[in-house]
Amino acid sequence: DPPRPRPDSTDSPLVRSVERGKGRFAPARWPERRPRGGESRRSQDLAGVFARTESRSRKRAHGRPPRRGQETMADRLLHPPVPLCALVGLHEIHPAIINNMPKAKRLRLSSHQLHETFPKPKEKADVKDWDSFRPKGILKSNWVDKHRTHIPAVVCLLYEWDEGKDWTAQTGTVASIVQSFRLRNSLRNFELVVVIVRHRNALEENESALEDKHRSIAKDAGVASRNILLVTTTDLKSSLKKLEDHLHSAACRKYRETYKRVKKLKDKVPRSVKPMQVRYHFKMGFYAELYNDQYVALSHYSSSYSYLNQIKIPKDSDRVLEVKAVAEVVVFKIIYLLLHMNRVSDGLVQFRHHINFYRGHVGVPSLAFHHYAWLSDQYRTFGEFWEEAPSAQRHSSKMQNSGYFYQSAAEYAARRKALAQEALDATGMGKLQPTGEIPTPEYLGHVLTEAEQTLRASNEGRGSYAGREPIQQHVIVQRILMAESKHDHSEGILVLLTRAYENFKKQRCSRMILHVASHMAAEYLSTGNRTMAKRFFDRIARTYRKEGWNTILLGILQNALACAQSRGLGRETVDYTLDLLRSFSLPIAERQRLSAILANVRVEDSCGTSDKLLKCPVVSIPSEPKAGDASAPTASTGEQPPGAFVANLDLGKLDGISLFRIPNAASAGHSGDGLSCRARFFVPAPAEPPQAQAQTQAQTQAQAQTQ
């Protein structure tokens, strides 16, 4: 047969079909780049085909809401895992394939170079005497992340087929690539899938002939015939859908095999070895989640949690840290599955049982703040799950919503802040700036490194988890305190309170909104942000004053007064002081303190141009003026303004700011600073110029004549 045109030619059917399919995106040109070492021109053209498809996908995805910026523990560890597949070969088109998969949630695709080697598994020791066996830990800290992002179940080898070359020669090339890849990764038992990328529009062969040739490739490469797939650039959407379905089924098949292998290992372990039962049941539940069997996963996670609660350790030991860390992961796996199975009440009961069981497991007494940090994380994570689960949202109401869990998390975080500050001050680490990095432990919940754990085990000797007091406990305390000194407690509290505020606002819980806002204002005040604190206090005081909640309003006004004083706001200071004197029966010492504040406050004058000390006359008005007494009220400072009577005060005669003291009957006999519950300031308006006064009188006379 004569040679067919190459796809990189401008007259080839591939380029013409792509230009027709682009539609209104046809004028766009992708920048050309020179071939790198070992990279063919054909690979660049293939990358351009995938890139144009990726451009259309980005255009369709434009306008979607952005993801949450920072990945939380729930996103990183507790959400259900998806099968991991690795793309190897033709590295330049990996981003386009990953971004154009039809169902991105079913698979997680990772990109690797052709000559890259995957991590090798560690050799596992064969335990013969389980009675004397003591594991180093329960669950490795990087095990979940390793199987989510590093160790794939399926490896997808990509190879671009050259239509102008000999079929037999290319078959041998594919077989050699497969064999060399298997030699480099012989210890990893993953499923191998070969994907051939072809330009089908340059061929005139029928489908059955192509499948026969692909089977011959599978035979030469030593791969199962079902694992030879075809991706065509002309029908890319359909090809990627078939590829995604096949990779997902192959990954689920591989995870089922791994599940059975772990089950055989678990059956060899006696039930008396609780840590190993916890580990194997957790791994089996994780693999069951990967091949999408939620009921089997829930059963194994429940068994793992049950074995974990049976481990007997002293509640004041540092071993509590490890047990609580593992319990957090396992119980939230259970809760997440229950919430997404529409078993909301069971999930809530499980969470309450978890909190009540571990509430007393404080651990080392000097690390009590770490226990409250753990409790805060439990409530925060459950609030996130409740907020994201559709079944939980249907059960949300004013009496039960995620705002309560965020509020409880903030309360425990506040306790953590107070206890951590005490511990840091007691040890002197609060004034230091730690620069060293804390080593990453091998097992979840450990603080010591692997070498330190080995030394500790040799010193303590073999035994149960209810062993002796740890020797290196001071090292654990020092490292946890070092990590705590780097933590910004106020920022964490404000984040939790903000999320609680938003959820209460969504459910229209007006009382809880004000309650949370008062805690936010107090936290802003403790951090020195008095502007935000005063803004919250003003909003809260407006509602409490209107509805008459005087007991709560007292503390709000006192904090608002402190904010106004620190910011030098004279008029706000006067308003808050008079409000406190008017509305509350305060002790004599407190009233004298407020009077001193009132006498020394700086306020703006009537024109608002400068500040001056408040030196105003205090006009005393008797509570019960005698009949026939036409005397004017007396001023404690300054001259007595003529014409100012009790019934009809001539306020125009008062110069500047004046304070009227009007005693009530209830406070007539009150002794102390002389200020009673009712007090008002009078600020005269600036005098109008003569021309403005004449115009005002003329307008008044004209209106009278018209009437």
Side-chain angles (χ1 to χ4, degrees):
D1 295 334
R4 293 178 172 82
R6 297 176 58 85
D8 56 302
S9 174
T10 55
D11 297 331
S12 67
L14 172 64
V15 176
R16 289 199 299 270
S17 63
V18 171
E19 291 294 333
R20 287 196 303 269
K22 286 193 298 183
R24 59 191 178 94
F25 301 104
R29 298 295 181 187
W30 291 85
E32 297 183 357
R33 56 185 178 88
R34 296 182 180 180
R36 298 178 181 175
E39 185 178 308
S40 63
R41 174 75 180 181
R42 185 180 300 276
S43 298
Q44 297 181 40
D45 295 334
L46 183 61
V49 173
F50 278 91
R52 284 187 283 271
T53 308
E54 182 184 3
S55 173
R56 291 193 291 270
S57 299
R58 287 199 302 264
K59 190 72 176 179
R60 289 192 300 268
H62 180 70
R64 294 178 183 174
R67 252 192 101 188
R68 268 189 314 193
Q70 191 174 5
E71 191 178 31
T72 61
M73 177 185 176
D75 296 325
R76 178 173 50 86
L77 192 61
L78 302 175
H79 278 186
V82 293
L84 178 63
C85 299
L87 300 178
V88 179
L90 297 180
H91 190 268
E92 63 275 3
I93 66 173
H94 289 179
I97 293 178
I98 294 173
N99 296 330
N100 287 281
M101 276 293 178
K103 296 178 181 178
K105 293 183 179 180
R106 292 182 62 190
L107 280 179
R108 186 187 183 103
L109 299 177
S110 60
S111 179
H112 301 271
Q113 297 287 347
L114 181 59
H115 300 287
E116 189 174 343
T117 303
F118 290 92
K120 296 181 180 180
K122 295 182 179 180
E123 295 183 0
K124 297 182 180 180
D126 188 13
V127 181
K128 297 181 180 180
D129 186 9
W130 286 103
D131 295 334
S132 59
F133 175 75
R134 182 181 181 181
K136 297 180 181 179
I138 300 177
L139 188 64
K140 289 193 175 182
S141 56
N142 65 337
W143 189 87
V144 173
D145 186 65
K146 180 176 65 175
H147 285 271
R148 287 179 67 245
T149 58
H150 294 86
I151 300 178
V154 178
V155 173
C156 183
L157 281 173
L158 299 174
Y159 180 80
E160 183 186 4
W161 198 264
D162 192 348
E163 309 297 342
K165 291 185 179 180
D166 182 60
W167 184 281
T168 306
Q170 293 189 82
T171 302
T173 304
V174 173
S176 63
I177 291 175
V178 172
Q179 293 300 327
S180 62
F181 182 81
R182 281 180 170 172
L183 287 175
R184 289 193 303 271
N185 302 277
S186 58
L187 298 178
R188 280 295 174 192
N189 185 21
F190 39 61
E191 192 89 2
L192 188 60
V193 177
V194 179
V195 177
I196 298 176
V197 183
R198 300 187 63 178
H199 308 285
R200 289 289 301 276
N201 60 330
L203 297 174
E204 296 178 357
E205 303 179 62
N206 56 20
E207 190 73 23
S208 60
L210 288 175
E211 291 179 357
D212 292 339
K213 291 183 178 181
H214 293 163
R215 290 192 188 96
S216 66
I217 297 175
K219 183 178 180 181
D220 295 340
V223 181
S225 58
R226 66 185 178 186
N227 289 339
I228 299 293
L229 300 179
L230 177 67
V231 172
T232 59
T233 57
T234 55
D235 192 10
L236 191 59
K237 184 177 180 180
S238 177
S239 299
L240 290 181
K241 186 178 184 307
K242 292 179 181 178
L243 176 64
E244 193 260 354
D245 292 338
H246 184 84
L247 292 179
H248 183 265
S249 61
C252 291
R253 186 167 57 249
K254 197 63 185 178
Y255 285 126
R256 283 192 181 92
E257 295 177 3
T258 309
Y259 169 85
K260 294 178 182 178
R261 187 172 67 252
V262 175
K263 188 176 184 300
K264 291 181 180 179
L265 295 175
K266 181 193 72 68
D267 293 340
K268 297 179 182 179
V269 180
R271 294 187 177 182
S272 58
V273 187
K274 309 296 182 183
M276 297 303 296
Q277 290 290 338
V278 173
R279 180 188 302 178
Y280 282 131
H281 275 289
F282 179 82
K283 290 184 177 182
M284 293 168 66
F286 187 81
Y287 288 129
E289 266 194 298
L290 284 171
Y291 66 78
N292 201 21
D293 194 338
Q294 295 183 348
Y295 293 96
V296 175
L298 180 61
S299 175
H300 285 294
Y301 286 143
S302 300
S303 300
S304 177
Y305 188 73
S306 177
Y307 278 113
L308 184 67
N309 292 343
Q310 296 174 22
I311 297 177
K312 296 181 179 180
I313 53 175
K315 293 185 179 181
D316 58 347
S317 171
D318 63 282
R319 305 275 188 190
V320 175
L321 301 176
E322 180 183 11
V323 175
K324 288 195 299 185
V326 177
E328 179 180 7
V329 177
V330 179
V331 77
F332 280 114
K333 285 286 188 181
I334 299 172
I335 292 172
Y336 187 89
L337 292 175
L338 289 174
L339 292 179
H340 286 265
M341 289 178 181
N342 294 327
R343 298 168 59 181
V344 180
S345 58
D346 293 341
L348 191 58
V349 169
Q350 179 67 49
F351 175 72
R352 289 173 177 170
H353 172 267
H354 171 66
I355 292 296
N356 294 332
F357 186 84
Y358 286 101
R359 193 187 301 274
H361 291 67
V362 179
V364 182
S366 58
L367 298 178
F369 63 88
H370 193 273
H371 176 65
Y372 286 109
W374 182 84
L375 288 173
S376 176
D377 289 340
Q378 308 310 294
Y379 279 98
R380 178 188 56 81
T381 306
F382 188 78
E384 290 179 359
F385 281 7
W386 189 278
E387 191 175 4
E388 295 177 2
S391 58
Q393 287 300 308
R394 289 193 295 268
H395 289 76
S396 295
S397 62
K398 289 187 177 182
M399 301 300 296
Q400 182 172 285
N401 58 72
S402 53
Y404 290 102
F405 304 114
Y406 288 131
Q407 180 196 356
S408 300
E411 291 176 356
Y412 283 116
R415 296 185 188 179
R416 170 195 183 181
K417 177 183 176 181
L419 293 174
Q421 192 63 41
E422 292 179 4
L424 291 173
D425 293 342
T427 56
M429 296 186 65
K431 300 179 181 179
L432 301 178
Q433 296 294 332
T435 57
E437 294 292 334
I438 300 176
T440 303
E442 183 182 7
Y443 286 90
L444 195 65
H446 282 190
V447 181
L448 302 177
T449 60
E450 183 178 2
E452 292 168 340
Q453 286 289 126
T454 304
L455 177 62
R456 173 180 182 170
S458 62
N459 292 335
E460 291 182 358
R462 296 181 178 180
S464 63
Y465 265 91
R468 303 176 182 88
E469 191 68 20
I471 297 177
Q472 287 121 332
Q473 194 177 89
H474 65 281
V475 179
I476 297 176
V477 173
Q478 184 179 8
R479 288 181 181 173
I480 293 179
L481 284 172
M482 185 184 300
E484 193 70 16
S485 63
K486 300 178 181 179
H487 182 71
D488 191 350
H489 298 90
S490 297
E491 183 181 358
I493 294 172
L494 288 173
V495 168
L496 293 170
L497 289 174
T498 302
R499 299 183 74 170
Y501 183 90
E502 293 173 353
N503 282 274
F504 286 134
K505 190 174 181 180
K506 189 186 303 181
Q507 296 291 337
R508 298 181 180 178
C509 305
S510 57
R511 299 293 177 218
M512 294 305 301
I513 289 174
L514 295 175
H515 179 68
V516 172
S518 64
H519 285 285
M520 294 176 67
E523 192 62 34
Y524 276 121
L525 184 61
S526 66
T527 58
N529 191 351
R530 303 185 185 276
T531 303
M532 289 296 298
K534 181 180 177 301
R535 188 179 303 174
F536 276 99
F537 283 135
D538 288 342
R539 294 178 182 177
I540 300 167
R542 190 181 305 118
T543 304
Y544 285 167
R545 186 184 295 110
K546 179 181 178 181
E547 298 181 359
W549 297 92
N550 292 332
T551 305
I552 311 175
L553 181 60
L554 176 60
I556 300 297
L557 290 178
Q558 289 175 344
N559 290 327
L561 176 60
C563 294
Q565 281 185 279
S566 62
R567 294 184 59 199
L569 302 176
R571 293 194 178 277
E572 284 80 354
T573 302
V574 170
D575 290 340
Y576 293 137
T577 306
L578 294 178
D579 207 353
L580 287 169
L581 291 170
R582 175 182 62 87
S583 304
F584 303 98
S585 298
L586 301 174
I588 297 176
E590 180 66 15
R591 296 173 65 84
Q592 290 176 349
R593 186 183 71 86
L594 294 176
S595 301
I597 292 174
L598 199 61
N600 298 323
V601 70
R602 298 182 66 88
V603 297
E604 295 181 357
D605 61 5
S606 58
C607 298
T609 57
S610 63
D611 293 346
K612 64 180 181 180
L613 285 174
L614 178 61
K615 296 180 179 179
C616 61
V618 181
V619 182
S620 300
I621 300 178
S623 57
E624 296 181 358
K626 299 180 180 180
D629 188 2
S631 61
T634 60
S636 59
T637 60
E639 297 181 358
Q640 177 180 353
F645 292 95
V646 176
N648 187 13
L649 292 176
D650 189 0
L651 300 179
K653 299 296 183 179
L654 296 177
D655 183 18
I657 304 174
S658 299
L659 173 63
F660 288 89
R661 186 171 56 203
I662 309 173
N664 290 330
S667 59
H670 181 74
S671 61
D673 59 351
L675 287 176
S676 59
C677 293
R678 298 176 59 194
R680 284 291 183 268
F681 270 99
F682 168 70
V683 182
E688 296 182 355
Q691 296 179 357
Q693 293 180 1
Q695 292 178 0
T696 305
Q697 292 177 1
Q699 292 176 0
T700 305
Q701 293 176 2
Q703 291 178 0
Q705 292 177 2
T706 304
Q707 293 177 357

